[in-house]
Amino acid sequence: MSALLSVEGLRIAYGQTPVVHGVDLDVPVGPYGVGLIGESGSGKTTIARTLVRLHRASAGSVTFDGRDVLALRGRDLARYRREVQIVFQDGDGALDPRMPVLAQVVEPLAVHRSVPRSARQERAASLLAEVGLPEEVMTHYRHQLSGGQRQRVLIARALALEPRLLILDEPTSALDVTVQDRVLALVERLREQRGLAYLLISHNLAVVDRLCETSVVLYGGVVMERGPTARVLTSPRHPYTRALRAAVPELGVQRIPLTRVSSGAPERARAASACAYVDRCPLAVARCRTEAPVLRPYDGREVACHRAEEADNLAVDGLATG
Amino acid sequence: MSRPTASRPARGRLTARLHRLQRQPLLTIGLVMATIMVATGLLAPWLAPFPADAISATHPSAALLPPSSEHWFGTDGIGRDILSRVLYGSRISLAIALFVVTVAGVVGLTVGLVAGYVGGKADALLMRVTDVFLAFPALLLAVALAAVLTPSASHAAVAISVTWWPWYARLARAQAASIRTQGYADAARVIGAGWVRQLARHVLPNAATSVFVQMSLDAAGIILTAATLSYLGLGAQDPSPEWGLMVSQGQGMATTAWWVVTFPGLAILLLAAAFNFIGDGLQTVLDPKRGHR
């Protein structure tokens, strides 16, 4: 399995504040989905923005098809932008309020001159049809669209350049369930029809479970657990993934109290050498505060936890009471 | 927000906008007033009862006649028909306003959008230059400039433009700086759009509204400033029918011949008010978040 995109030791900071502390991540050639799971503040979106060169990395490497992404300039960067596209989380903000929908889908074609001028409108219209938007939407403006329609326009715009890798940043978090389902079905279809590889960023385990072969669980800018989705999400081994899994409410099951993932931003006072999750972990011991666990193979995936083995026995009680 | 259903059958955008005008009585009044004054200015040669009086004709025997059926606005100190002069005068005021708004608008928008959107060193450099211009009180700078150049209406327009653009630069910069962090700016960068495309296609259309509104509000101020400069003898020169100049010339006889100052003064007031109404109304109508566009 050769990686299309390979991220190693990626560190990212906002000013002086580091938010991503050395993340490794591979996306294979499509059709393939990788899910990046984490809550707000875990650094998911920051990673996505860095991958599309909207934000600087402070250390680490990103390789796409053998090219050093972080060093790309000029013509090479333009080519990269064509091959890697992103669908932003905020469909409202990512659309220009003063440009009709069709023009926004034509724009990438015009920037890269990938389609002759005379054929651009037609091409954009067919993309809008492909993502299931009715024809009259073409002349509409942002505020006239529903949330699902906005997300589809963004997807059509991202697909216009026929990227090899698509980054989907919470593509459905702003949508209600039925609309969400249609957008997900669209991603599934595009994946098969276009052989698309994608990095799907989400806090929704069900979405990742449906669309991704591989899952990467992020907390506080550190990978907690990663491996085949079937293993990571169905039988999580890291206390954080367990807590996320247990926090998903199930229909018909009245569980009192609902298991909660203890909230609050990771404390800044934590020692640099400590585990990122230590302040919220019900299983934390002294060692977790002095020695950050590294990813190690365990039970068919990789886990960054000193107590993964013991967790099997301790976790149920430890977590259920939060 | 009461927003009409998203897919209302295609109604012309113009019709929709006209429809919205009905809910903006002040804007409508302003537009009507401004249209009338532009029209009378353009048609002055046909409307003015004594076209020759607008410039240099003198009729000493008919000096300072009060308003009558022959001279609706009376005559001035050398017997010129004031109505004719006021009609011609609107051409001068409107031309100055148009010139200043265009020149200051283009310069200010360019400087401000580049500074605010590109940021960094470009921003620092451009805004320091802007600050230098802002450091002088506008009227003072205009007075100084007009004094250095030979006084005339066109030099007054140039002088006002020089003092006016920094305000547009500031306004445009603030708009562009906020657009810079918007999702659609990121969306443009991510597809590889260059600076020029980003500025022309995304930043300008989104920043321009507030600048256009400011321009229409400013038209009033520009007309007043031009009138002030003429009044001070630094703008249009005799025999020009510039309104400010007419007020200045009639000032000495305001107690004995009230009509000489009153009618050009009223004209200034009405035109300034018209543009103020338009600016206020545009602010509401052009806001894309308000209803159907």
Side-chain angles (χ1 to χ4, degrees):
Chain A
M1 179 168 78
S2 66
L4 178 62
L5 178 83
S6 180
V7 176
E8 276 174 48
L10 186 64
R11 290 175 180 276
I12 313 169
Y14 278 115
Q16 296 298 309
T17 316
V19 289
V20 173
H21 313 270
V23 162
D24 297 343
L25 186 74
D26 281 348
V27 182
V29 175
Y32 200 97
V34 174
L36 185 57
I37 299 163
E39 59 197 72
S40 330
S42 63
K44 318 180 293 272
T45 298
T46 308
I47 292 174
R49 291 177 59 85
T50 305
L51 293 183
V52 295
R53 291 283 304 266
L54 284 177
H55 200 275
R56 271 180 217 286
S58 36
S61 73
V62 177
T63 315
F64 179 82
D65 199 21
R67 282 168 279 161
D68 178 2
V69 171
L70 300 178
L72 291 177
R73 305 200 56 156
R75 202 178 286 267
D76 295 329
L77 179 59
R79 187 175 152 209
Y80 175 73
R81 293 214 184 282
R82 204 169 145 172
E83 292 179 315
V84 177
Q85 277 293 302
I86 184 168
V87 175
F88 288 102
Q89 169 175 12
D90 174 17
D92 191 32
L95 290 173
D96 188 325
R98 292 192 180 272
M99 197 184 255
V101 164
L102 189 69
Q104 304 208 36
V105 181
V106 166
E107 191 171 34
L109 301 172
V111 168
H112 290 273
R113 299 192 177 86
S114 54
V115 172
R117 183 187 295 266
S118 57
R120 283 175 198 157
Q121 302 256 330
E122 203 179 323
R123 179 92 188 83
S126 80
L127 282 160
L128 288 171
E130 188 177 349
V131 298
L133 285 170
E135 214 168 288
E136 68 260 24
V137 166
M138 295 194 304
T139 55
H140 283 181
Y141 288 85
R142 176 175 99 179
H143 70 267
Q144 294 167 286
L145 304 178
S146 69
Q149 287 176 328
R150 285 175 190 154
Q151 217 61 39
R152 280 159 189 268
V153 174
L154 288 186
I155 293 175
R157 181 174 150 108
L159 290 176
L161 295 172
E162 305 190 11
R164 295 168 69 192
L165 173 67
L166 193 59
I167 296 171
L168 297 149
D169 185 7
E170 301 266 16
T172 59
S173 61
L175 309 177
D176 65 51
V177 183
T178 49
V179 182
Q180 176 175 324
D181 184 68
R182 272 185 267 146
V183 172
L184 296 180
L186 170 65
V187 174
E188 277 173 330
R189 182 160 60 78
L190 294 168
R191 161 205 169 102
E192 297 314 322
Q193 286 174 356
R194 292 175 172 248
L196 202 62
Y198 50 86
L199 177 67
L200 175 77
I201 294 171
S202 184
H203 61 263
N204 187 331
L205 304 190
V207 170
V208 172
D209 188 42
R210 175 169 166 185
L211 291 173
C212 301
E213 279 90 340
T214 302
S215 292
V216 178
V217 179
L218 199 67
Y219 180 83
V222 180
V223 175
M224 299 279 111
E225 184 169 5
R226 71 172 182 199
T229 303
R231 301 211 67 86
V232 173
L233 295 188
T234 37
S235 59
R237 289 291 178 245
H238 192 285
Y240 177 59
T241 324
R242 286 169 187 272
L244 280 181
R245 182 75 181 80
V248 176
E250 281 175 67
L251 271 186
V253 180
Q254 189 77 17
R255 209 170 9 170
I256 301 171
L258 186 68
T259 305
R260 67 173 193 274
V261 180
S262 50
S263 55
E267 282 183 36
R268 303 232 180 275
R270 198 184 66 231
S273 59
C275 171
Y277 190 53
V278 67
D279 293 320
R280 285 167 57 180
C281 185
L283 305 179
V285 292
R287 186 186 174 198
C288 302
R289 296 198 173 273
T290 54
E291 182 190 344
V294 290
L295 280 173
R296 61 190 170 93
Y298 174 61
D299 192 22
R301 89 289 309 274
E302 290 173 284
V303 184
C305 179
H306 295 309
R307 308 195 70 199
E309 288 84 354
E310 298 146 85
D312 286 345
N313 307 319
L314 299 168
V316 183
D317 292 343
L319 287 169
T321 53
Chain B
M1 298 256 310
S2 64
R3 174 193 294 168
T5 45
S7 55
R8 182 189 285 187
R11 192 169 54 161
R13 266 168 70 183
L14 185 67
T15 337
R17 289 196 171 175
L18 285 179
H19 183 72
R20 201 126 54 96
L21 279 186
Q22 293 172 0
R23 277 172 275 159
Q24 295 294 329
L26 270 188
L27 175 57
T28 316
I29 292 170
L31 282 171
V32 169
M33 283 166 62
T35 309
I36 290 174
M37 298 190 84
V38 169
T40 53
L42 289 175
L43 299 175
W46 294 276
L47 292 178
F50 302 92
D53 289 9
I55 310 297
S56 50
T58 53
H59 314 280
S61 57
L64 296 177
L65 296 177
S68 64
S69 57
E70 192 186 359
H71 299 285
W72 290 3
F73 288 1
T75 63
D76 67 6
I78 51 174
R80 294 176 295 196
D81 178 56
I82 290 178
L83 173 59
S84 302
R85 289 175 62 75
V86 166
L87 287 174
Y88 272 93
S90 77
R91 294 177 154 198
I92 300 170
S93 293
L94 287 166
I96 292 176
L98 192 67
F99 177 87
V100 174
V101 157
T102 310
V103 172
V106 169
V107 174
L109 266 172
T110 310
V111 169
L113 292 187
V114 170
Y117 194 70
V118 176
K121 284 181 183 146
D123 184 23
L125 179 72
L126 289 172
M127 293 326 284
R128 289 306 75 74
V129 174
T130 307
D131 286 346
V132 169
F133 278 87
L134 281 175
F136 296 96
L139 188 60
L140 195 68
L141 188 57
V143 166
L145 267 168
V148 172
L149 308 166
T150 48
S152 75
S154 36
H155 285 164
V158 171
I160 298 170
S161 304
V162 170
T163 65
W164 222 273
W165 70 267
W167 299 102
Y168 295 138
R170 275 233 184 147
L171 186 62
R173 179 188 175 275
Q175 294 287 317
S178 98
I179 290 167
R180 189 184 177 192
T181 63
Q182 297 287 310
Y184 59 86
D186 281 342
R189 287 181 201 119
V190 154
I191 58 161
W195 285 119
V196 175
R197 170 177 282 269
Q198 291 180 43
L199 283 166
R201 296 294 181 88
H202 298 288
V203 185
L204 178 63
N206 282 288
T209 302
S210 57
V211 178
F212 286 156
V213 168
Q214 194 59 43
M215 283 177 181
S216 45
L217 285 170
D218 280 358
I222 291 164
I223 288 163
L224 293 175
T225 308
T228 309
L229 286 178
S230 301
Y231 176 84
L232 295 173
L234 298 165
Q237 298 297 305
D238 198 50
S240 165
E242 208 280 335
W243 295 338
L245 181 65
M246 291 168 71
V247 172
S248 153
Q249 289 166 342
Q251 176 180 237
M253 44 192 122
T255 47
T256 51
W258 57 270
W259 55 91
V260 181
V261 284
T262 305
F263 292 108
L266 269 178
I268 295 173
L269 179 74
L270 284 177
L271 193 56
F275 281 112
N276 256 321
F277 291 161
I278 293 174
D280 264 357
L282 280 183
Q283 201 149 19
T284 325
V285 173
L286 289 179
D287 183 350
K289 290 185 203 85
R290 276 182 54 103
H292 197 74
R293 64 178 283 162

